[in-house]
Amino acid sequence: KAGVTQTPRYLIKTRGQQVTLSCSPISGHRSVSWYQQTPGQGLQFLFEYFSETQRNKGNFPGRFSGRQFSNSRSEMNVSTLELGDSALYLCASSFGLAGADTQYFGPGTRLTVL
Amino acid sequence: AQKITQTQPGMFVQEKEAVTLDCTYDTSDPSYGLFWYKQPSSGEMIFLIYQGSYDQQNATEGRYSLNFQKARKSANLVISASQLGDSAMYFCAMRELQTGANNLFFGTGTRLTVIP
């Protein structure tokens, strides 16, 4: 079974631009979560989707948004990029929402904002 | 308040030796899950092991075992017979189950270096 895939793997943008990152979950998984990883803040939760509905959102400004499609694929968008948005963005999928449902991560998208 | 604490920024272990990576957690939720992930330099987070708060036995997965001490709120990862490929960042994470949220809270990680 294929793992979680994320595209693109690397991205370079300039301040003020917007960016869209894509995540394809493991086949059959309906929950997708996004995390931001930076050296200073560590791993921080962005948002979570299940069956096309955002269930939970972390403490990030409204410039960060996301959505999930009917095939469970998810996208996240960051508008008006700032230098501090440079980070590794990780997507994780799980089968459902039960306690033991493990989140499996993709390889990440490394975003650099210049 | 920090929900997950990993106090060891870096650890060294000799190849073939065992090593323990520390993790303490803080939650008022009686139902929670604890996870350990490995992150090599490539960036991908690899799931290693899971422990539920109501599990009676400590979890084991191959060379990985979790030393779960509920009263002390600790969930240490034990790696036996270390291999060079074990060199990576290791993250402890928790999911609080009663809240209904699916997100993980991560610690700051421990960088493990295996010495030949």
Side-chain angles (χ1 to χ4, degrees), chain A residues 35 37 55-56 99 101 103, chain B residues 37 39 95 100-104:
Chain A
Y35 296 84
Q37 186 177 24
R55 293 186 70 246
N56 198 10
D101 278 340
Q103 290 191 12
Chain B
Y37 287 88
Q39 187 178 41
R95 174 194 288 145
N102 196 33
N103 59 291
L104 296 170

Side-chain angles (χ1 to χ4, degrees), chain A residues 33-46:
Chain A
S33 299
W34 289 88
Y35 296 84
Q36 181 197 64
Q37 186 177 24
T38 60
Q41 299 298 316
L43 280 148
Q44 293 186 286
F45 169 71
L46 279 158

